[in-house]
Amino acid sequence: CADDTLFDWARRAIGEEQHRCMSLMRVLRVRKPDVVDHFFKAFSDQFDHPAAAGKKKKKAQLSGELSMQPTEDLEESIAVTNMTTRAEGLFRDQLFELGRRLEWAADYRGEHVPRLVMEPLAISEVFLEASRTIDMEIESRLVVLKLFERTVMIQLGDFYNRLLHTLDENDIQAGAAAQNAPHGNDTQDESSFA
């Protein structure tokens, strides 16, 4: 839980940093419902407007190139890129299988479900946007992003496994190889998110 993690950080910190952790914990308790609502609304909206998620992915790829960015935007971009890269590495097999099945569903059943909106980058970007509903210093926002990575992004394996199971139940498989293939590791290495 994010509260427990912040409390542990505050306990180990001293002076001003301890005060900052406790203040952030209070702000998050009060504003968490707003952030959660904004996150789920924006996440759901991506399914109605998948082209917007594609534009964000392209923008994120371009932001990796050298350019002049405000320091805060650059720090946020680096944090999102790092958590996305770790999640993509951990859940590579599930993402690959999910992509194969969604492509098959589009080709053979005419059911178009945008895969991009379920990828770690889109989820990270939506959370960053939701976190911006709280006015905070960049140091605090980076802590919130790290908390999101440690408490939510690590759960994406379960999310992808549930999606794959639902596709199985609806006979959406990308050929005979998909029927026998495992859905990736059910247990993920949490140390990758440390």
Side-chain angles (χ1 to χ4, degrees), residues 14-27:
I14 53 173
E16 182 61 32
E17 188 170 330
Q18 184 177 43
H19 176 67
R20 184 182 305 155
C21 286
M22 296 302 283
S23 295
L24 181 58
M25 192 166 55
R26 283 190 293 276
V27 168

Side-chain angles (χ1 to χ4, degrees), residues 8-71:
D8 286 343
W9 286 348
R11 213 169 18 126
R12 288 187 304 247
I14 53 173
E16 182 61 32
E17 188 170 330
Q18 184 177 43
H19 176 67
R20 184 182 305 155
C21 286
M22 296 302 283
S23 295
L24 181 58
M25 192 166 55
R26 283 190 293 276
V27 168
L28 290 178
R29 279 189 187 143
V30 171
R31 297 293 311 274
K32 181 179 176 181
D34 297 334
V35 173
V36 169
D37 288 346
H38 190 280
F39 174 81
F40 282 113
K41 182 181 180 330
F43 181 72
S44 298
D45 287 349
Q46 288 187 115
F47 286 92
D48 295 330
H49 309 288
K55 287 178 186 173
K56 284 183 184 178
K57 183 170 186 169
K58 181 70 173 169
K59 181 181 174 186
Q61 289 169 341
L62 292 176
S63 72
E65 299 172 5
L66 292 177
S67 64
M68 294 298 292
Q69 295 182 15
T71 303

Side-chain angles (χ1 to χ4, degrees), residues 107-178:
D107 292 346
Y108 294 100
R109 293 211 180 153
E111 298 173 13
H112 299 278
V113 177
R115 177 183 151 196
L116 282 178
V117 302
M118 294 178 272
E119 290 183 350
L121 177 61
I123 293 169
S124 300
E125 288 283 346
V126 167
F127 181 75
L128 175 60
E129 179 184 322
S131 76
R132 288 178 177 153
T133 62
I134 301 174
D135 184 33
M136 64 179 90
E137 296 174 7
I138 186 61
E139 293 84 5
S140 296
R141 184 162 330 280
L142 294 175
V143 168
V144 168
L145 290 172
K146 182 54 87 174
L147 285 171
F148 180 76
E149 179 180 4
R150 290 185 176 181
T151 59
V152 177
M153 296 294 281
I154 192 68
Q155 301 296 322
L156 287 180
D158 294 334
F159 172 65
Y160 295 138
N161 284 336
R162 280 188 241 131
L163 287 173
L164 290 167
H165 180 74
T166 300
L167 293 173
D168 281 342
E169 289 176 341
N170 290 284
D171 295 323
I172 297 177
Q173 307 230 344

